[in-house]
Amino acid sequence: MSVYRLLLTADRLRVSPSRAGLRITPCAAQTGLDGDATSGFVVPVEKHAGCLGYGQGGARVTHPVGPSNKLTGSALGALTVPVATRIANHLAISCGQFKADDIVLVMPAATTCCSN
């Protein structure tokens, strides 16, 4: 599942031109890989203050180990922080609630539908 909180302020979004007009992209709240260093799959895990893009491929709703997570034996070491945890983390930094003018999208992915 992916979670995005879209705020229409220039300091929290990257706005770039595209053929269809302007494209607005939220910056990632967390980036990195926790994989096998001998295979080149280690990228320092970083949290980005002020960034509100919470999407992570392979993450489950509540279980912390999704496809390509290092605990599955995968060399990739994908960060698969559960959606429920990412929402709780966001609420912890935003006074425990979404604002009335926030657009909040929670989208299940095929991995969740087909693997659970």
Side-chain angles (χ1 to χ4, degrees):
M1 297 183 90
S2 298
V3 178
Y4 294 96
R5 180 176 177 223
L6 181 60
L7 295 177
L8 300 178
T9 58
D11 63 327
R12 295 195 178 163
L13 295 175
R14 184 178 63 204
V15 179
S16 57
S18 71
R19 284 195 231 184
L22 290 179
R23 180 176 50 224
I24 299 173
T25 309
C27 57
Q30 183 183 43
T31 57
L33 290 173
D34 190 19
D36 181 6
T38 62
S39 299
F41 291 119
V42 175
V43 178
V45 176
E46 297 181 44
K47 293 185 179 183
H48 305 282
C51 292
L52 303 171
Y54 295 100
Q56 288 184 349
R60 305 290 172 91
V61 176
T62 58
H63 197 280
V65 181
S68 299
N69 183 284
K70 73 177 181 181
L71 296 177
T72 66
S74 172
L76 184 61
L79 304 177
T80 55
V81 177
V83 174
T85 301
R86 287 182 273 149
I87 291 172
N89 291 345
H90 174 76
L91 293 174
I93 64 168
S94 60
C95 301
Q97 63 186 359
F98 293 105
K99 296 188 313 188
D101 60 350
D102 285 347
I103 297 172
V104 180
L105 306 172
V106 180
M107 301 179 300
T111 303
T112 300
C113 297
C114 299
S115 298
N116 289 333

